[in-house]
Amino acid sequence: MATQDSANTTSTSFIKSRRSSLIAAIFLMATSAIGPGFITQTATFTATMGAAFAFGILASIIIDYVVQQSIWRVITVTNMRASDIANKAIPGSGYLLAVLVIFGGLVFNVGNIAGAGLGLNAMVGLDPKWGGMLSALLAIYIFSSRKASNFIDRMIIVLGIVMILLTVFVMFASNPPIGEALRQTVLPDAINFATITTIVGGTVGGYICYAGAHRLLDKGTTGIENIDAVSSAATKGILVVGLMRYILFLAILGVVASGVTLDISSHAANPASQAFQHAAGLTGLRIFGLILWAAALTSVIGAAYTSMSFITVFKKGVTERQRNIATIIFIAISLAIYMVMGTAPAALLVFAGGFNGLILPIGMTLFIFVAWRRQDLMNGYKYPAWLLWSGIFVCALTWYMGIMSVGAIFNYLNIA
């Protein structure tokens, strides 16, 4: 009887531990995707395209779903980090992937710190440079804590829920044309590949697509026995991101459809801030500031954590403490770059998403190759045919969109 009770206790403990790790992975991926770049990109493209941007959101959600399902499954089944999988599949490719992800994460993290500065500016009127610096120092303090891992998990869940609830409030306040938005979700008046590539890059490109999966590795939730739970978690993560994406779009669309012109081109442009203020006055501005700051802080943490999870490919046996130190250095470098550069924060945030969208097809190609041709790395797991073929299609599509939009993406940095 005692043995059975012990077994039941162990089973219950395992289930609770797995649930905790899955929730942490979902929210790390979701809050990394719901960053200041995503918010600024959504505002910018809604201002320029109106309801037609709804199609870009739908396309990005579908692409995100296939990408996350593919990458989470392969990492979970192989029980290896993305760069190690790439090296096993094609020797040397893991180093290239690591360099690209770390560099892309650095670009994004400079944008995240810029977003934190914009958030505190909207919330309390603090100069964006000072706001960015204080937020980066807070992130450094969090990683310097010996209880950083558990604190990060709890914080990103709370801030993620707060962001969604506040955005829902502003959506109702802006009174968007929901019928027109639904029509153009499937029958758009215009399609812009640069916007789709940028919004995909801002929500699943670069480091973001590996954030949740690498968190599962660190928590020990791997192996074929966990594949169903991991697949379900990936789906829930995409649903959280997709819901937030569409709610934010509708909140800003309501303002644009009312005839308000948002400033998206000046050095001080902060289109999402303007939209929230028009929708709900000074309260809306303060709400926006809190949303953007929360999104930025969680994204600074997510970008730094995930980017530095790739350093293990260069040095085996790196301890969690050593990775935390590397993460602190990574955030400090991001902060230093932000403090000296002159690019407008909003322009940088849009460019960061586009740049990571250009990185996405490289990693996706490697993972599709492993799923298709390297069954020896999959520990006997039979990869679903539907996911393989949809992955091949999405991989080809992201290559095509990246090639078609590379010039437009780099032009985002030329906003005066």
Side-chain angles (χ1 to χ4, degrees), residues 8 31 60 64 117-118 153 183 234 257 335 374 416:
N8 289 338
T31 53
S60 69
D64 289 3
L118 289 175
D153 288 345
R183 182 186 71 81
L335 174 60
R374 293 302 305 269

Side-chain angles (χ1 to χ4, degrees), residues 252-271:
I252 296 169
L253 179 63
V255 173
V256 173
S258 71
V260 173
T261 300
L262 301 180
D263 174 18
I264 61 171
S265 60
S266 73
H267 182 82
N270 192 345

Side-chain angles (χ1 to χ4, degrees), residues 18-28 153 156-157 216 233:
R18 187 177 73 171
R19 185 189 302 120
S20 175
S21 65
L22 291 171
I23 292 174
I26 288 170
F27 274 88
L28 181 65
D153 288 345
I156 60 177
I157 291 171
L216 289 176

Side-chain angles (χ1 to χ4, degrees), residues 199-232:
I199 204 73
V200 167
T203 53
V204 78
Y207 76 91
I208 298 171
C209 55
Y210 309 107
H214 278 192
R215 193 62 175 163
L216 289 176
L217 280 185
D218 287 342
K219 293 287 187 177
T221 307
T222 57
I224 297 175
E225 66 275 14
N226 287 312
I227 197 66
D228 289 340
V230 166
S231 175
S232 176

